[in-house]
Amino acid sequence: MSFEFEEWVEFESRVKMLMEQDPSTRLIVKYAHNKSRVNVRVTNDAVCLKFKTGDASDLRKFEKLHAWMLAKTFEMGEEEMEQRLIDARSAVEEQNRAAATGKKGGRRRRGGR
């Protein structure tokens, strides 16, 4: 049975209900580059919930929902899981900044200065 949602609030509540009923529920995310759109599916093989968005504010909401699902899966507190995601995001941003400043590892050219 497949359901497609237009409103985030309704999608989020149905996802939480499904996750509470069946912890083996999984999340599938696909990015359609040509349409600049994210397709989110949550399924337990019997029920499939779908949501499509190109709005950045919905992506932030999706991150929060994803943190909640991870917390439920690993039986962790939601705040702890969100903090871990924030820490991981900060580490990636720091690596990107280091790469952008030109700090390259590796070997130097011969015959140079």
Side-chain angles (χ1 to χ4, degrees):
M1 194 176 266
S2 181
F3 300 97
E4 194 161 331
F5 296 90
E6 298 290 325
E7 295 295 322
W8 175 261
V9 176
E10 186 180 358
F11 175 72
E12 182 179 31
S13 66
R14 290 292 299 268
V15 167
K16 287 184 176 184
M17 284 183 356
L18 187 62
M19 188 74 181
E20 293 288 342
Q21 291 171 358
D22 185 4
S24 68
T25 299
R26 64 189 179 278
L27 173 79
I28 300 104
V29 180
K30 292 185 179 179
Y31 178 66
H33 179 70
N34 57 348
K35 296 179 182 177
S36 296
R37 172 170 278 216
V38 175
N39 300 326
V40 181
R41 277 189 333 182
V42 177
T43 184
N44 67 353
D45 290 331
V47 177
C48 181
L49 308 175
K50 299 177 184 179
F51 184 77
K52 296 178 183 180
T53 186
D55 190 10
S57 66
D58 285 339
L59 295 178
R60 290 290 180 188
K61 293 173 190 173
F62 163 71
E63 283 183 351
K64 194 169 187 175
L65 176 65
H66 187 234
W68 181 85
M69 289 181 74
L70 286 172
K72 287 301 264 184
T73 301
F74 296 108
E75 297 177 356
M76 199 179 282
E78 188 175 349
E79 293 81 22
E80 182 182 354
M81 185 58 73
E82 283 187 34
Q83 186 58 46
R84 286 186 178 197
L85 288 174
I86 290 169
D87 293 344
R89 190 180 308 126
S90 298
V92 168
E93 288 172 357
E94 187 176 316
Q95 288 175 348
N96 290 341
R97 275 194 299 275
T101 58
K103 294 182 182 176
K104 295 183 180 178
R107 298 176 6 165
R108 298 178 98 170
R109 289 193 293 170
R110 286 187 164 176
R113 296 180 188 176

